[in-house]
Amino acid sequence: AQSVSQHNHHVILSEAASLELGCNYSYGGTVNLFWYVQYPGQHLQLLLKYFSGDPLVKGIKGFEAEFIKSKFSFNLRKPSVQWSDTAEYFCAVRGSNTGKLIFGQGTTLQVKP
Amino acid sequence: DGGITQSPKYLFRKEGQNVTLSCEQNLNHDAMYWYRQDPGQGLRLIYYSQIVNDFQKGDIAEGYSVSREKKESFPLTVTSAQKNPTAFYLCASSIGGIDTGELFFGEGSRLTVL
C-alpha cells in the first residue's frame, strides 16, 4: 500500500533562513510526486511535481524538490524563505497504476519577519 | 473562470442526520476526488472516481457514499454511520487516466456535527 511520511510537523524559521522539508514515501513501483501548499484562508495549490526526467524539479516562488529514488524521498527546499511562505505544506504520492493520490500529514511552516 | 465549486462552505448537522456536500467542476476533468482534512493528519482519501458512473473507495470510505452520474458533479453524502464526521472536506479533480496530472482543489466545506 502507498503511504507518505512528512517528518517535520511544525517548523519555525526566520526570514532569509533556508528551508528543507522532508518527505518519504512507500510504494514499490513508479510514482508521481507532488508538493502542495495551503496558505492561510486559501485553497490547496500545486507547488511543484515530478513525473519523470530530471530528479531536481523547480516550482513556483523559488521552491525546488529533489527526487532520490534510492531513498524513496522527495524533499522540498528553498534557499531563503519569506514571511509570505507561512503556510501548510503537503507532500503527495501517486503510484502510477493506482490513480490514488495519497497525502502526507502536512508540515506547518511559520516564518518570522 | 474554470474551477471547482463546493457547497455549502459551512454546514451544521445534528447527530443521526445524513448530509450531502456538493462538488461541481467545469474543467472538463474525468477524475474527481473527495478528501477529508483533519489537523495533524493531512488529507485522507474518502472516494475517487476516474470516469462517470464509476468510483472507488479510498482509505476511509466507511460512513460515506458518493455518486457520479454526471462528469461535472461528484456529491458526497456523510451518513449517520460516520462516527466522527466533524471535519473539513475537500473536493478535487484532475484530467484523468492512469498517469493523471495534478489535482485541482475546491475551497472546501466545513462540517460540524452538534
Side-chain angles (χ1 to χ4, degrees), chain B:
Chain B
D1 285 338
I4 299 173
T5 302
Q6 289 187 241
S7 63
K9 197 169 182 178
Y10 298 96
L11 184 62
F12 296 88
R13 185 195 93 177
K14 291 182 180 179
E15 278 193 26
Q17 289 180 334
N18 292 354
V19 62
T20 297
L21 307 179
S22 170
C23 179
E24 303 277 332
Q25 56 99 356
N26 60 5
L27 299 168
N28 199 32
H29 285 170
D30 284 317
M32 296 187 74
Y33 309 77
W34 275 105
Y35 288 88
R36 171 180 170 142
Q37 185 176 12
D38 296 283
Q41 298 193 58
L43 280 73
R44 292 181 291 167
L45 182 63
I46 304 173
Y47 269 98
Y48 65 110
S49 166
Q50 297 200 60
I51 199 167
V52 174
N53 292 323
D54 188 36
F55 49 82
Q56 289 79 38
K57 291 182 179 179
D59 298 320
I60 55 163
E62 185 175 351
Y64 299 98
S65 66
V66 294
S67 62
R68 187 84 189 276
E69 297 174 0
K70 298 187 296 182
K71 185 176 184 177
E72 58 270 22
S73 178
F74 192 41
L76 173 74
T77 297
V78 184
T79 75
S80 56
Q82 168 49 233
K83 295 178 181 175
N84 186 20
T86 294
F88 189 57
Y89 292 89
L90 285 165
C91 179
S93 72
S94 67
I95 293 172
I98 293 295
D99 288 313
T100 62
E102 66 189 85
L103 266 62
F104 294 83
F105 284 86
E107 294 193 345
S109 293
R110 187 168 296 281
L111 171 64
T112 302
V113 175
L114 304 172

Side-chain angles (χ1 to χ4, degrees), chain A residues 1-7 22-29 31-34 71-74 91-95 98 100-105, chain B residues 41 43-44 59:
Chain A
Q2 292 169 233
S3 67
V4 182
S5 178
Q6 292 181 238
H7 315 297
C23 173
N24 284 88
Y25 68 91
S26 173
Y27 184 75
V31 292
N32 306 141
L33 299 158
F34 306 80
K71 295 184 178 180
F72 297 90
S73 70
F74 190 57
C91 181
V93 172
R94 179 173 55 227
T98 70
K100 290 169 56 174
L101 187 63
I102 302 300
F103 285 79
Q105 306 95 315
Chain B
Q41 298 193 58
L43 280 73
R44 292 181 291 167
D59 298 320

Side-chain angles (χ1 to χ4, degrees), chain A residues 45-58:
Chain A
Q45 55 188 284
L46 183 71
L47 207 50
L48 49 78
K49 61 186 177 185
Y50 171 80
F51 275 48
S52 63
D54 188 345
L56 183 62
V57 293
K58 295 190 184 299

